[in-house]
Amino acid sequence: HHLHAFCNVKPSYHVVYITNRLDDSLATKIKAITSAVMSTMCLPSEESCNVCGAEFYPLPFLHFTGNMFSASCGYVNKLMSPSTFENAMTDVAGAALVAEMKETYTTKLFPLGTRILGSYQHSIDHWIGAHPDLKPCDIAPTSTDKLDETILDQMKLYSRAPAPRRGSASPGYLVSNSEWRERESKSRLKRTISLREYYYLAGNIFRWKRLYDKLPNANSWVWEWFPDGQLWELAARTSGENAVNVLANQLSEQLALEEKLAQQLAIKDT
């Protein structure tokens, strides 16, 4: 609340958010995450990176490890206040559950829950990454081979770059890395799954439209990173939230045509 209020008064400044509200799995990383967001290398800019953190992940929602970050006030001022956002996200979470029951969306990658949906007190973990104008970058090493390195050793390896550039989901949300890689690989390759997957563009577009009634710019990283991004961009700009149904219908027609052609070829071969 104070961070948002400060940016309203000082729009040309940047702010750093640090918290000790971490999962047990992140307790040993608190120094590394804190040093990352406090470093000069993590200073944000409106042009290329308006929010910086130690590690950025797009799944299961757009977030930084430990929910600690350095952000430009220009970006923060586009966000709802945290209290308003909590109410809005709780409403969106309820709508998402209803949509899943109606099979508008699938949830093959992660089970739905209050934390992942961002309802109630969990909304704070979603707040900084929820706006479609997000331009993330991170600075932590992408290699995790040397887990016994001291904080000073890790700091020497800091390198700022546009994100995402590491695994798609943070380890804290994964049961098994190998099981996860296989599950996501199948989801990305099978378009009948990826198109309706809530954790891909289907759910993100749903939230962007419900929360801010806005979509990312044409040059946003999201259209490149998520499956079928270019198709989604066109459909979302013309059909909004209903883009998921429009694309699903197009895919069904395409698959039906391909099946018909395959049958015709099989008949000719015989």
Side-chain angles (χ1 to χ4, degrees):
H1 297 281
H2 296 300
L3 180 147
H4 191 258
F6 175 85
C7 280
N8 285 333
V9 178
K10 302 286 187 180
S12 62
Y13 282 49
H14 82 276
V15 288
V16 175
Y17 180 74
I18 297 174
T19 179
N20 60 1
R21 180 177 165 269
L22 292 174
D23 294 336
D24 293 339
S25 62
L26 295 174
T28 57
K29 296 181 66 175
I30 188 169
K31 288 184 179 179
I33 298 171
T34 303
S35 68
V37 299
M38 293 290 290
S39 71
T40 55
M41 191 179 293
C42 212
L43 287 174
S45 67
E46 286 298 319
E47 294 74 27
S48 58
C49 168
N50 49 26
V51 187
C52 176
E55 300 167 330
F56 175 80
Y57 293 97
L59 302 179
F61 55 91
L62 312 186
H63 70 285
F64 291 89
T65 301
N67 194 31
M68 291 196 272
F69 54 82
S70 174
S72 71
C73 279
Y75 174 77
V76 171
N77 284 336
K78 296 179 180 181
L79 304 176
M80 301 176 190
S81 69
S83 58
T84 301
F85 183 76
E86 179 177 344
N87 293 330
M89 274 299 286
T90 301
D91 290 342
V92 168
L97 287 170
V98 172
E100 187 206 21
M101 287 189 289
K102 292 181 177 179
E103 299 184 346
T104 302
Y105 304 117
T106 58
T107 52
K108 303 291 186 183
L109 296 178
F110 303 91
L112 286 180
T114 55
R115 182 187 178 199
I116 283 180
L117 285 172
S119 54
Y120 301 106
Q121 74 272 21
H122 300 291
S123 66
I124 192 63
D125 296 325
H126 295 241
W127 182 68
I128 196 63
H131 198 280
D133 288 346
L134 175 69
K135 299 175 187 175
C137 65
D138 57 23
I139 68 171
T142 55
S143 173
T144 57
D145 294 337
K146 299 179 180 179
L147 297 177
D148 58 341
E149 288 182 330
T150 66
I151 183 62
L152 290 177
D153 290 332
Q154 292 180 33
M155 291 174 68
K156 293 175 184 176
L157 298 175
Y158 284 168
S159 175
R160 173 171 167 149
R165 57 173 176 149
R166 56 192 81 237
S168 56
S170 53
Y173 289 94
L174 306 181
V175 176
S176 162
N177 279 331
S178 58
E179 179 186 331
W180 161 254
R181 283 193 292 269
E182 182 180 355
R183 188 190 311 170
E184 201 207 354
S185 177
K186 289 180 179 178
S187 296
R188 278 182 170 269
L189 291 174
K190 193 165 185 180
R191 297 180 72 198
T192 52
I193 295 177
S194 65
L195 271 179
R196 289 194 181 274
E197 182 59 34
Y198 186 74
Y199 303 105
Y200 286 153
L201 280 172
N204 278 291
I205 288 170
F206 175 72
R207 293 191 297 276
W208 289 325
K209 292 294 289 182
R210 287 290 179 103
L211 294 169
Y212 293 105
D213 193 25
K214 191 177 189 296
L215 294 170
N217 294 329
N219 60 353
S220 173
W221 62 275
V222 303
W223 309 122
E224 294 293 331
W225 192 87
F226 286 103
D228 289 317
Q230 302 305 315
L231 291 176
W232 269 106
E233 183 192 3
L234 178 60
R237 297 200 188 284
T238 55
S239 304
E241 284 182 28
N242 195 45
V244 63
N245 292 318
V246 171
L247 288 177
N249 290 337
Q250 290 177 357
L251 179 59
S252 295
E253 293 172 0
Q254 179 183 337
L255 292 176
L257 178 60
E258 290 175 357
E259 183 179 355
K260 184 177 180 180
L261 290 173
Q263 291 174 349
Q264 290 175 348
L265 290 174
I267 293 173
K268 287 182 178 180
D269 290 339
T270 58

